[in-house]
Amino acid sequence: MADPYDIAIVGAGPAGGNAALTAANAGLRVVLLDEQPAAGGQVWRGKAASILSAPMTPETKAGDALRHAIHASEVTHLTDTRVWDIRRDGENWALQILGKDAPEQITAKALILATGAREYVQPVKGWTTPGVIGLAGATALFKQTLSLPGKKTVVSGTGPLVFFVASEIRRLGGTVAAIVTPNTRTEWARSLPAMAVQPKLLARGGIWMADLMLAQVPILWGHAVAEVSGDEHVTSVQTRNLSKGTDGPTFDADSLCLGNGLVPQIEAAQMLGVPIHHDPALGGWVPEAQPDGATPTDGLYLCGDGCGIRGALAAGVQGTLTGARVARDLGKSAAAPPVSKWRRAARFGRAMTALSIPKPDVESLTTDDTILCRCESLKRADIRAEISSGAASTNAVKSGRRAGMGPCGGKYCQSAIAALIAKETSRPIAEIPPPTPRPPLRPVPLGEAAGDFNYDDLPIPKPAPL
Ligand SMILES: Cc1cc2nc3c(=O)[nH]c(=O)nc-3n(C[C@H](O)[C@H](O)[C@H](O)COP(=O)(O)OP(=O)(O)OC[C@H]3O[C@@H](n4cnc5c(N)ncnc54)[C@H](O)[C@@H]3O)c2cc1C
């Protein structure tokens, strides 16, 4: 068997990428694993080969700098590689990976999880109609392929992403039918002092707004999408005025970008026993980690949005801090920026997160005939029936109705199901943790996962706590 790496890092975004560079510069043998074809993570996603000549944006520039630095370093970067299981194997961590070749196991003395975030989409009637895509997901379309979600798009959601997506649609030649945001102008005004610590980003936001206003794109503040119409495809989008509780305008459109903030991807950390707690200001359930990535588990470190949504700038700084901490723990010396640099970057990110948190009045737009778990086609009424029959936790709903057992592994339904359990059982959301995570962390063909085995060697897993 191959020698263990010093460090395995899951996730090659700003956090994992910078952790890898710092640790490799300190002389450690580092393997960086990511399911994407190039480093950069969600925010600095690389362009597909077919659009390499497209004009540079601030994101592509930052991503190219990271990609060049990784390429020029001693880091072993395995692209297109899914990490689907991680366990302790004596002194080392054993990671099951599925890359371009046969599945394999790699081992490492230390493990950094830099798994980032995923998007939360509040289910509303018709949200599974073709033509509806995630608001953050839309940025992947623009960055990787320069494609548009449709010809005429309603853009709806919280935080700054809604204005970024709308202005990108216009830049790429599409039409924005309307911007619909649950945020109010007052909420934006309140967040300005925290945003002022990053004047360049603030100025960029000003340019998006100026473009949208010059183009006379309707902006509905304090509104949300209540219903999407269309059988084969989106045809129109109905809005709701949240403060008045009345119907807002309906817009004809062939597509909708819909999102309600980001949620940390904590499954791997949770599976490895890192304690989690609920912090709405950081996007929901977050694992326990220090600013330099250390966790209560020896040899396990976390950084970036996977331990709380603080944005790309903070993720990059925390990646460097974490790479340096692991290097020191493995007996090497490594320079790191002061923690105050991370706190400053995080202040900006937290202001953005505060704007992005889904609001309770948006949750109330989900009706009984709205699909909550799209993999298993379960409506809210199905989940409510399960809760009223005694299922008081996400694990119990999962066991009873298979919600979370489909291909997405619960990534898209669990937040909405937890919110519904909290509402129906009159308990705070902080008492409704996500279900016990199980491998595979990413979808994996059964044959690949099984490999060669002897039935007698199969471990019998403990039953999930209810
Ligand atoms: C869809 C999406 C789009 C976004 N777009 C923007 C944007 O345009 N502008 C902006 O400011 N912020 C954006 N954000 C927020 C932004 O992603 C973060 O603030 C920032 O990227 C955090 O950096 P990170 O390194 O912590 O995580 P990320 O950049 O998310 O990197 C994590 C990486 O880990 C990989 N990964 C996770 N689990 C596994 C696994 N099991 N196996 C293999 N690989 C794995 C992921 O593929 C990803 O590449 C977006 C978020 C999402 C979810």
Side-chain angles (χ1 to χ4, degrees):
M1 187 180 280
D3 281 347
Y5 287 93
D6 291 318
I7 312 181
I9 303 177
V10 186
N18 280 296
L21 290 171
T22 308
N25 285 341
L28 294 169
R29 239 181 109 232
V30 179
V31 62
L32 179 62
L33 306 144
D34 200 298
E35 61 201 341
Q36 296 197 45
Q42 300 291 2
V43 63
W44 298 337
R45 183 180 288 271
K47 292 190 248 182
S50 55
I51 59 150
L52 281 184
S53 59
M56 299 291 275
T57 63
E59 284 79 24
T60 45
K61 279 185 201 159
D64 281 354
L66 181 71
R67 288 183 277 276
H68 288 145
I70 291 172
H71 192 66
S73 74
E74 297 290 318
V75 172
T76 303
H77 180 199
L78 301 183
T79 58
D80 300 292
T81 299
R82 285 178 234 165
V83 178
W84 62 270
D85 194 11
I86 309 173
R87 294 174 193 227
R88 261 286 188 206
D89 180 14
E91 296 284 287
N92 297 319
W93 295 101
L95 290 82
Q96 304 301 328
I97 63 171
L98 183 62
K100 291 175 190 156
D101 305 319
E104 59 175 311
Q105 170 174 298
I106 58 162
T107 54
K109 294 174 197 162
L111 173 67
I112 300 178
L113 298 174
T115 48
R118 65 168 168 268
E119 167 159 48
Y120 177 62
V121 180
Q122 178 68 42
V124 290
K125 197 169 175 192
W127 73 295
T128 54
T129 309
V132 181
I133 65 167
L135 182 67
T139 68
L141 273 186
F142 311 145
K143 290 173 196 169
Q144 205 159 340
T145 60
L146 298 184
S147 353
L148 287 166
K151 289 191 175 127
K152 193 175 179 194
T153 309
V154 172
V155 182
S156 176
T158 43
L161 217 48
V162 75
F163 300 107
F164 174 57
V165 167
S167 66
E168 282 295 280
I169 289 175
R170 281 188 34 74
R171 188 175 72 85
L172 297 174
T175 301
V176 178
I179 295 173
V180 182
T181 177
N183 295 130
T184 59
R185 285 196 189 87
T186 317
E187 285 166 350
W188 269 97
R190 263 193 238 123
S191 63
L192 281 175
M195 285 196 273
V197 297
Q198 298 294 344
K200 275 192 194 158
L201 291 178
L202 193 57
R204 208 169 157 218
I207 292 170
W208 300 336
M209 290 305 286
D211 169 63
L212 294 165
M213 284 160 100
L214 276 176
Q216 300 188 330
V217 174
I219 302 180
L220 275 70
W221 302 94
H223 282 64
V225 168
E227 187 173 338
V228 184
S229 299
D231 295 327
E232 300 291 312
H233 214 276
V234 174
T235 51
S236 67
V237 175
Q238 163 78 55
T239 64
R240 177 76 51 85
N241 182 320
L242 293 172
S243 60
K244 293 186 183 154
T246 52
D247 282 346
T250 299
F251 295 95
D252 289 339
D254 63 5
S255 44
L256 166 67
C257 298
L258 182 64
N260 298 84
L262 303 175
V263 179
Q265 297 216 81
I266 63 167
E267 293 77 17
Q270 202 190 347
M271 201 170 81
L272 297 175
V274 180
I276 58 170
H277 65 276
H278 193 263
D279 186 344
L282 290 176
W285 290 91
V286 285
E288 198 177 314
Q290 301 299 317
D292 65 3
T295 71
T297 306
D298 261 359
L300 176 59
Y301 305 80
L302 308 175
C303 55
D305 272 7
C307 50
I309 311 295
R310 298 179 179 91
L313 281 175
V317 180
Q318 195 179 22
T320 306
L321 285 166
T322 305
R325 166 71 194 246
V326 184
R328 284 196 302 277
D329 286 354
L330 292 178
K332 303 279 182 186
S333 62
V339 172
S340 56
K341 186 173 175 193
W342 172 74
R343 287 196 209 289
R344 192 175 145 84
R347 191 170 166 226
F348 178 85
R350 288 181 70 125
M352 299 297 98
T353 306
L355 282 169
S356 308
I357 293 169
K359 298 169 168 222
D361 38 8
V362 174
E363 277 170 25
S364 66
L365 297 176
T366 305
T367 53
D368 266 354
D369 56 354
T370 305
I371 288 192
L372 282 203
C373 167
R374 54 194 304 169
C375 299
E376 301 290 335
S377 295
L378 292 168
K379 294 187 170 167
R380 187 177 84 157
D382 301 318
I383 307 292
R384 282 185 72 194
E386 193 63 23
I387 298 167
S388 60
S389 73
S393 68
T394 50
N395 273 325
V397 171
K398 184 176 168 183
S399 309
R401 292 285 175 147
R402 293 189 50 82
M405 289 193 191
C408 90
K411 293 182 181 67
Y412 294 99
C413 61
Q414 286 308 324
S415 302
I417 289 175
L420 185 59
I421 296 171
K423 187 173 168 213
E424 297 285 306
T425 60
S426 304
R427 283 181 298 156
I429 188 77
E431 286 181 14
I432 323 285
T436 312
R438 304 267 175 221
L441 293 165
R442 286 289 187 268
V444 61
L446 203 53
E448 308 282 12
D452 291 330
F453 66 90
N454 184 335
Y455 272 107
D456 295 334
D457 294 339
L458 285 182
I460 311 287
K462 283 187 204 157
L466 286 182

